[in-house]
Amino acid sequence: MVAHVAVSLDGATTGFAADVAAFHELATTWREDVTLTGADTILAQEEALAAAPQPGPRPDGPLLAVVDSRARVRRWTALRDAGHWSGVLAVSSAQTPGLVDEVSLLVHPVLAGTASDRRWFGTQPPATALALQDVRQLAGDLVWLRYRPAP
């Protein structure tokens, strides 16, 4: 499983305009069967989703699985028709196990965090050694970092 996250230089996932097009373009490089995301990620994109073109499901696209244990996501049809996924489903779980094989960070050239901002890794991340796999500078001064758990 790849954890693919848009972050600011200081690790915030909110408070800045993420380059959503670049984010999804990079995600297609894995040719995944399922895109797993959290409800908060989807809810943060609701306005952009409502205004975006709706070409319909992508027949060869991955399935979108949204972890939405509190049933907060409402725009399921718009998600399905966004042109990125073949279909959508809600996933409910009391606990999420750590199954990450790779950490992919799309780093945006902004400082957006405050002491109260949630970080994508939580408030007390486990000390896990990672090994750098790749670094790419992209348009708009974005940097794509890819890590795997160190052996």
Side-chain angles (χ1 to χ4, degrees), residues 51-136:
Q54 297 287 304
R58 192 174 105 207
D60 63 340
L63 181 67
L64 175 64
V66 180
V67 179
D68 187 22
S69 297
R70 293 182 283 168
R72 296 179 296 149
V73 173
R74 300 275 186 248
R75 298 181 181 252
W76 293 103
T77 301
L79 284 168
R80 184 200 64 214
D81 293 344
H84 302 295
W85 303 286
S86 59
V88 295
L89 65 93
V91 177
S92 179
S93 175
Q95 190 175 29
T96 305
L99 303 172
V100 175
D101 298 307
E102 181 177 324
V103 175
S104 167
L105 301 173
L106 182 57
V107 182
H108 291 69
V110 296
L111 298 174
T114 65
S116 64
D117 280 342
R118 282 188 316 167
R119 304 292 188 239
W120 72 271
F121 47 77
T123 57
Q124 295 293 326
T128 303
L130 300 172
L132 183 65
Q133 297 299 301
D134 193 26
V135 176
R136 293 186 197 171

Side-chain angles (χ1 to χ4, degrees), residues 14-37:
T14 61
F16 66 98
D19 188 332
V20 177
F23 181 86
H24 287 294
E25 182 180 332
L26 294 174
T28 64
T29 64
W30 287 290
R31 302 195 192 294
E32 78 273 17
D33 296 319
V34 178
T35 300
L36 178 67
T37 189

